[in-house]
Amino acid sequence: MAVPLNILIIAISLIALSPLCSCSKAYGSGDYLFPQFYDHSCPKAQEIVQSIVAKAFAQDPRMPASLLRLHFHDCFVKGCDASILLDNSGTIISEKRSNPNRNSARGFELIEEIKQALEQECPETVSCADILALAARDSTVITGGPSWEVPLGRRDARGASLSGSNNDIPAPNSTFQTILTKFKRQGLTLVDLVSLSGSHTIGNSRCTSFRQRLYNQSGNGKPDQTLNQYYAYGLRKQCPRSGGDQKLFFLDFATPFKFDNHYFKNLIMYKGLLSSDEVLFTKNRESRELVKLYAENQEAFFEQFAKSMVKMGNISPLTGGRGEIRRICRRVNHAY
């Protein structure tokens, strides 16, 4: 029996509205992001981002970790809106000057290179916030980590928050509870905290970020007792009590350029570089069990990391008519 035309039209409409697009509800937003956002307006967008990230990795193996960190530091301040990319201007105090970002955040020039390529392909279409999200995913994949569909459709902020950057991003010497509280404020859970911390399987940290663990962790002139003494001895030879603040050390000494689960294995051996890493194993029973799980089961870590990255990327995006699509990522459009 033939299906009546009116019922057929309704069915087709329902299919079009069905969640086949893997739409992702954004935390703190009434709108949805979805991976196919640029399929018609800029179909080569993801290919362009991936290509430039791959080229950068070949020239600088540190770059993937830097791009992941940019996305994280962006999303934790006013949501994933590319506010971290803005330079100082008459009305904007840049987040680049905050304590978590000053002398350490990098990759800004590469984001501008990607943006320039996308502007040539499809002008005023792909946001800087989406570039950060895509570059973070591609950085994970190119270093051996998991892949995921990146929900897209973010727009760019017209302002920045220096105070937000100083206050909302967990510091390397924060207590476990402080870190967890800052994650929960963003709608993230303890599971997200542990899995996302696994991004420290690649990248570097400066001597100044962990020096107190080596010499004066609790204000008593003694090193951190949860730091392996032989590991600490080697670190002290390269990170003195004073001087050498900017000297870089691998966050994961075992496989520093490979995205894997060695970070968690290091924590079990009390060889986490930062205090904020090691507390995941020493200060909370639930997080300790997750560290052990991810150390034993890389697949479980990869699966949760991908889910948590999507969740983090959904923090309070600007969508619809809010914000703008910047033509240059380091400044708002009306600054021309």
Side-chain angles (χ1 to χ4, degrees), residues 24-33 37-38 78-82 125 127-130 153-159 313-326 332-333:
S24 182
K25 188 71 157 59
Y27 178 77
S29 167
D31 295 295
Y32 286 84
L33 307 175
F37 190 84
Y38 298 113
K78 303 195 309 94
C80 308
D81 60 2
T125 302
S127 69
C128 301
D130 278 345
R154 302 166 191 81
R155 289 168 65 84
D156 300 322
R158 294 190 177 99
N314 288 346
I315 297 173
S316 304
L318 299 172
T319 55
R322 297 180 301 156
E324 64 182 16
I325 305 298
R326 288 184 216 143
V332 296
N333 290 338

Side-chain angles (χ1 to χ4, degrees), residues 5-246:
L5 182 60
N6 63 330
I7 295 177
L8 189 60
I9 291 172
I10 292 170
I12 292 170
S13 299
L14 288 172
I15 291 170
L17 293 170
S18 70
L20 291 176
C21 65
S22 304
C23 296
S24 182
K25 188 71 157 59
Y27 178 77
S29 167
D31 295 295
Y32 286 84
L33 307 175
F34 54 98
Q36 297 82 3
F37 190 84
Y38 298 113
D39 279 7
H40 299 293
S41 60
C42 194
K44 292 185 179 178
Q46 298 202 40
E47 179 186 329
I48 289 170
V49 176
Q50 186 178 30
S51 172
I52 295 176
V53 168
K55 185 181 72 172
F57 174 56
Q59 297 170 348
D60 177 6
R62 286 181 59 202
M63 188 54 70
S66 299
L67 295 174
L68 259 173
R69 190 165 182 259
L70 275 185
H71 184 43
F72 169 55
H73 283 208
D74 180 43
C75 290
F76 264 60
V77 183
K78 303 195 309 94
C80 308
D81 60 2
S83 60
I84 192 173
L85 303 178
L86 290 170
D87 286 340
N88 278 333
S89 71
T91 57
I92 293 169
I93 301 176
S94 176
E95 293 171 19
K96 296 175 184 179
R97 299 172 59 186
S98 72
N99 292 327
N101 295 329
R102 190 173 57 247
N103 298 322
S104 66
R106 60 194 295 271
F108 298 108
E109 296 81 4
L110 183 66
I111 297 299
E112 291 293 357
E113 181 183 341
I114 294 170
K115 180 60 173 171
Q116 187 175 13
L118 288 168
E119 285 297 301
Q120 290 177 353
E121 177 70 21
C122 32
E124 299 178 44
T125 302
V126 182
S127 69
C128 301
D130 278 345
I131 292 172
L132 285 172
L134 288 168
R137 188 272 311 274
D138 294 341
S139 294
T140 303
V141 173
I142 203 168
T143 49
S147 185
W148 60 91
E149 280 197 316
V150 179
L152 301 166
R154 302 166 191 81
R155 289 168 65 84
D156 300 322
R158 294 190 177 99
S161 177
L162 179 64
S163 62
S165 188
N166 278 323
N167 296 324
D168 296 339
I169 298 170
N173 58 351
S174 294
T175 65
F176 176 85
Q177 194 54 52
T178 297
I179 300 167
L180 181 59
T181 297
K182 290 187 176 184
F183 269 71
K184 285 186 173 179
R185 278 188 200 145
Q186 306 293 349
L188 301 173
T189 66
L190 183 146
V191 174
D192 299 317
L193 162 59
V194 178
S195 63
L196 291 172
S197 294
S199 63
H200 283 178
T201 180
I202 56 175
N204 299 265
S205 185
R206 296 173 296 159
C207 170
T208 187
S209 295
F210 62 87
R211 175 183 281 123
Q212 76 177 60
R213 295 193 76 201
L214 303 178
Y215 302 103
N216 191 26
Q217 175 69 355
S218 304
N220 58 4
K222 294 182 179 180
D224 188 343
Q225 296 303 302
T226 67
L227 182 61
N228 179 286
Q229 61 177 329
Y230 299 106
Y231 183 44
Y233 175 76
L235 292 172
R236 276 193 291 270
K237 293 203 296 188
Q238 302 295 324
C239 179
R241 285 181 182 271
S242 61
D245 286 5
Q246 305 304 317

